[in-house]
Amino acid sequence: MTQSLPDYEQIADMLIAAKSTFHPAEVHGLLCGHIIGTSGQADKSLQKLILGKNKNPEYHAELQQLYEISYHLMSEFSFEFTLLLPDDDSKINLRTEALGLWCQGFLTGLQQTNIPVQNREESDVTETINDFIEIAQVNYDDIADDDEDETAYFELVEYVRLGVLLIFNDLETGRPEKMSGENNQLH
């Protein structure tokens, strides 16, 4: 049985309680970018970046769970992999902003692992990363709450979700050997 990601609100509440300045979607994007850039080999700098000096073991455990489930779903090329975003009942502006923050976090995660985000050779991965850069810069204030924008939002979410799996698979197959699961601990 495949585990699913923790609830968006659960992660949001944890970040607020931890006094983190990060948005839940941004955190998930950051973790996913880091997973892809390191083949799942984590280091404690991520938790320190996200939680600051907060040492609460519950917060660290929640981040670890989010990291491990994301790693598992991506490494299995699972179509159950999803982005941690507000639910569909939220206003479209909030969901679109969260998608942009998810992409920003993802790109930051890649950059922190020395995966070049810009000035890459042309490929499907490069095109996808360039699209993520554009999505990260979207002006969510101009989004109308209508069927057309709802459809566009869902298409973008699906594009990003599949793009992440494409990037993971492409970079993973280009590595000499896959990291073992025991290396995917954040702490």
Side-chain angles (χ1 to χ4, degrees):
M1 187 169 112
T2 305
Q3 284 187 303
S4 59
L5 293 177
D7 181 74
Y8 175 86
E9 292 299 326
Q10 174 187 346
I11 298 298
D13 291 344
M14 180 272 295
L15 292 171
I16 290 168
K19 295 183 175 33
S20 175
T21 59
F22 282 86
H23 186 278
E26 183 182 21
V27 166
H28 189 234
L30 180 68
L31 294 177
C32 290
H34 189 273
I35 288 168
I36 288 173
T38 64
S39 189
Q41 186 176 17
D43 61 50
K44 55 185 151 189
S45 67
L46 273 179
Q47 286 202 7
K48 187 174 183 178
L49 175 67
I50 295 167
L51 297 175
K53 295 178 182 180
N54 194 310
K55 303 269 190 227
N56 186 320
E58 289 179 29
Y59 304 154
H60 288 267
E62 281 188 64
L63 277 181
Q64 182 64 37
Q65 179 188 26
L66 180 60
Y67 189 92
E68 289 176 5
I69 292 170
S70 298
Y71 174 78
H72 173 74
L73 293 173
M74 285 192 292
S75 66
E76 296 296 319
F77 204 71
S78 173
F79 287 100
E80 293 179 24
F81 171 75
T82 58
L83 310 179
L84 187 68
L85 297 170
D87 65 34
D88 296 341
D89 295 335
S90 300
K91 292 186 182 276
I92 189 149
N93 297 58
L94 295 174
R95 290 181 284 140
T96 305
E97 176 187 21
L99 179 60
L101 289 169
W102 195 100
C103 289
Q104 286 176 17
F106 179 80
L107 296 166
T108 300
L110 283 179
Q111 285 178 318
Q112 287 182 340
T113 61
N114 297 319
I115 299 291
V117 171
Q118 296 180 344
N119 302 321
R120 298 175 52 91
E121 290 183 33
E122 287 300 316
S123 69
D124 289 342
V125 169
T126 303
E127 185 178 325
T128 303
I129 288 173
N130 288 339
D131 290 343
F132 285 12
I133 291 169
E134 287 186 36
I135 294 168
Q137 297 171 353
V138 71
N139 182 356
Y140 54 88
D141 290 330
D142 296 337
I143 307 294
D145 196 0
D146 60 26
D147 289 342
E148 186 176 318
D149 283 344
E150 281 288 336
T151 301
Y153 169 79
F154 284 113
E155 288 174 358
L156 278 177
V157 169
E158 187 65 8
Y159 178 78
V160 171
R161 185 183 77 77
L162 292 175
V164 168
L165 293 173
L166 168 89
I167 294 168
F168 182 85
N169 189 51
D170 186 73
L171 294 177
E172 198 65 14
T173 56
R175 291 191 172 107
E177 65 181 68
K178 193 171 179 173
M179 303 298 285
S180 68
E182 63 194 43
N183 291 328
N184 65 355
Q185 299 293 310
L186 282 175
H187 54 280

